[in-house]
Amino acid sequence: MGERGGCLCGAVSYELKSGAQPVHHALCHCTDCRRATGAPAVAWALFDRDDVSITGEAKAYRSSEHAERHFCADCGTSLFYTNPQIFPGQIDVQSATLDRPKSFALQGQIQTAERIGWMNQLNELPQFERYPG
């Protein structure tokens, strides 16, 4: 059994083939990813499509001429990105939706030209293990 993940409500889940490794795993700072998720950056793990088994039906939104972003129609969790022009036969998985997201180390950051400026100072901010009282 491989790594598993899914949406917040459980309507869409996925499993990676045992031993499957991402072709690339990066934190994306692009405006499109931020707007699609409401997050300041999104971690994407690119896998061969044959290594990802999806249960349930994710809704697809064509976000550009060749790209689709896939999400749960019930709870809105953003899950996958496909673009046959750039990634033929592959699927990008939002790695934060894995049950064990630390299973795959990040390999880099992309689209840093669009990074929000305050993302550069995260380590300088106060940190709390839980919501501060």
Side-chain angles (χ1 to χ4, degrees):
M1 183 182 309
E3 295 293 328
R4 294 173 177 260
C7 68
L8 181 62
C9 73
V12 181
S13 61
Y14 61 90
E15 182 176 347
L16 305 175
K17 273 188 185 173
S18 183
Q21 292 294 311
V23 174
H24 191 252
H25 186 201
L27 189 63
C28 183
H29 294 275
C30 82
T31 302
D32 287 349
C33 282
R34 291 198 322 264
R35 288 196 173 147
T37 64
V42 178
W44 291 106
L46 182 66
F47 289 92
D48 289 334
R49 182 62 186 92
D50 292 340
D51 287 345
V52 182
S53 173
I54 301 170
T55 303
E57 191 170 333
K59 182 172 175 134
Y61 168 73
R62 184 165 298 280
S63 57
S64 66
E65 183 180 0
H66 301 290
E68 288 187 333
R69 292 175 182 272
H70 307 257
F71 60 95
C72 175
D74 291 333
C75 68
T77 302
S78 182
L79 295 161
F80 314 112
Y81 174 90
T82 55
N83 186 325
Q85 293 291 109
I86 299 172
F87 305 127
Q90 297 173 316
I91 185 170
D92 247 338
V93 173
Q94 283 199 9
S95 58
T97 65
L98 283 161
D99 293 346
R100 299 182 327 146
K102 64 181 180 180
S103 297
F104 304 106
L106 275 176
Q107 298 167 324
Q109 298 183 61
I110 58 174
Q111 303 296 86
T112 57
E114 299 175 44
R115 179 174 34 213
I116 299 171
W118 47 256
M119 287 289 287
N120 294 322
Q121 293 104 17
L122 292 180
N123 287 331
E124 299 168 17
L125 297 173
Q127 297 183 35
F128 306 92
E129 287 188 19
R130 300 283 183 246
Y131 193 83

